Amino acid sequence: LKKVFSFLHSAILASAVHCASSPVKAQTQMTNPPPLVRIAELEIDPVQLIEYRHALSDEIATSIREEPGVLNLYAVSVKDHPNQVKIFELYKDQASYESHLQSPHFKKYKDLTRGMVKSLKLIETTPIMLASK
Amino acid sequence: LKKVFSFLHSAILASAVHCASSPVKAQTQMTNPPPLVRIAELEIDPVQLIEYRHALSDEIATSIREEPGVLNLYAVSVKDHPNQVKIFELYKDQASYESHLQSPHFKKYKDLTRGMVKSLKLIETTPIMLASK
């Protein structure tokens, strides 16, 4: 199954997606409202990095498991800079995102990591194309 | 189906993932080698933004459709700054990424957009946790 969220109003592109020559049929999903994508960029206190990574991973696992509107949570660190963390977050819609912020596991994560996070930048985005296998 | 790529060596976390109370069973996939995540940050010439978005979307659709090792390509722009584009790229492994760079559709995209891209920053990453529905 391939999922493509496209936010171009392009008949040419839609046609390209639908006429996939691959044996796996591509699927175009135009959602209304579109999914919400947020990017978080954090700097973590290096001496608390292991604890931070555990708290984050626990929160991610719980959110994906328990919240229907939390679609993807991808956490990475910048290569050779393990205390620079980036999280790519994909929610079904604005309501799912707001519900996530009020969840017990998210609040627990915020409490646990307050003293570990040296800086936090939240980047709101506008999706162009979100395509996955 | 939930997919969780976890790169913590944490028995506690693995247990949390496997003991999902949700009716949808969570799945932990420990891949060896782990997937490759790259983040591209681009600044696009504003007067060529529509053309750029079409070229990018076409390239993404083709890559997801034709390349087994291209797992996710998520392109967004920063809210209220449509010429600032970020692409979160997930490949099965290093070989899949290198194969992607040699693909005809990627080379076509690079040729088409050479005069549209004012700056390009490629960020190599180390995955912490990659979880999705």
Side-chain angles (χ1 to χ4, degrees):
Chain A
L1 179 68
K2 295 184 176 65
K3 287 186 288 189
V4 178
F5 296 94
S6 172
F7 306 95
L8 287 175
H9 301 284
S10 161
I12 295 168
L13 177 67
S15 165
V17 170
H18 285 300
C19 299
S21 58
S22 156
V24 180
K25 190 170 178 294
Q27 180 184 30
T28 302
Q29 299 180 293
M30 299 292 281
T31 60
N32 187 14
L36 185 149
V37 176
R38 198 186 72 165
I39 299 170
E41 297 183 341
L42 304 94
E43 188 189 5
I44 308 304
D45 176 7
V47 301
Q48 301 184 82
L49 191 52
I50 293 174
E51 292 82 356
Y52 173 77
R53 288 166 61 109
H54 277 93
L56 174 64
S57 297
D58 201 15
E59 191 271 334
I60 287 176
T62 306
S63 300
I64 291 290
R65 190 177 65 230
E66 297 191 357
E67 295 187 71
V70 179
L71 303 181
N72 294 51
L73 292 172
Y74 289 157
V76 300
S77 58
V78 176
K79 198 168 181 177
D80 302 326
H81 299 277
N83 68 319
Q84 293 179 26
V85 173
K86 293 175 187 280
I87 311 172
F88 183 97
E89 309 176 4
L90 179 59
Y91 304 94
K92 182 170 174 283
D93 50 28
Q94 179 74 30
S96 300
Y97 172 60
E98 286 166 13
S99 165
H100 173 66
L101 298 183
Q102 298 304 319
S103 67
H105 45 275
F106 183 74
K107 289 180 176 177
K108 178 184 167 195
Y109 158 81
K110 290 295 276 188
D111 286 342
L112 275 174
T113 61
R114 190 160 285 118
M116 304 174 185
V117 176
K118 294 173 71 176
S119 71
L120 168 62
K121 182 179 177 188
L122 298 177
I123 302 171
E124 291 186 81
T125 75
T126 304
I128 297 171
M129 189 171 216
L130 309 173
S132 63
K133 285 281 192 288
Chain B
L1 180 68
K2 295 184 176 64
K3 286 185 287 186
V4 178
F5 295 95
S6 172
F7 306 95
L8 286 174
H9 301 283
S10 162
I12 295 168
L13 177 68
S15 167
V17 171
H18 284 301
C19 298
S21 58
S22 155
V24 180
K25 191 169 176 294
Q27 181 184 31
T28 302
Q29 299 180 291
M30 301 293 282
T31 60
N32 187 11
L36 185 150
V37 176
R38 198 187 73 164
I39 298 169
E41 297 183 341
L42 304 94
E43 188 188 5
I44 308 304
D45 177 6
V47 301
Q48 300 184 80
L49 191 51
I50 293 174
E51 293 81 357
Y52 174 76
R53 289 166 60 107
H54 277 93
L56 175 63
S57 299
D58 200 16
E59 191 272 332
I60 287 176
T62 306
S63 299
I64 291 291
R65 190 178 65 230
E66 298 191 356
E67 294 188 69
V70 179
L71 303 181
N72 294 49
L73 291 172
Y74 290 156
V76 300
S77 57
V78 177
K79 198 168 182 178
D80 302 326
H81 299 278
N83 67 318
Q84 293 178 26
V85 172
K86 292 175 188 282
I87 312 172
F88 183 96
E89 310 176 3
L90 180 59
Y91 303 93
K92 182 170 175 283
D93 51 27
Q94 179 75 30
S96 299
Y97 172 60
E98 285 166 14
S99 166
H100 172 67
L101 298 184
Q102 298 304 320
S103 67
H105 45 277
F106 182 74
K107 289 181 176 176
K108 178 184 166 194
Y109 158 81
K110 290 295 277 188
D111 285 342
L112 274 174
T113 61
R114 190 160 284 117
M116 306 174 183
V117 175
K118 293 172 71 175
S119 70
L120 167 63
K121 182 179 176 187
L122 298 177
I123 302 171
E124 291 186 81
T125 75
T126 304
I128 297 171
M129 189 172 217
L130 310 173
S132 63
K133 288 276 192 289

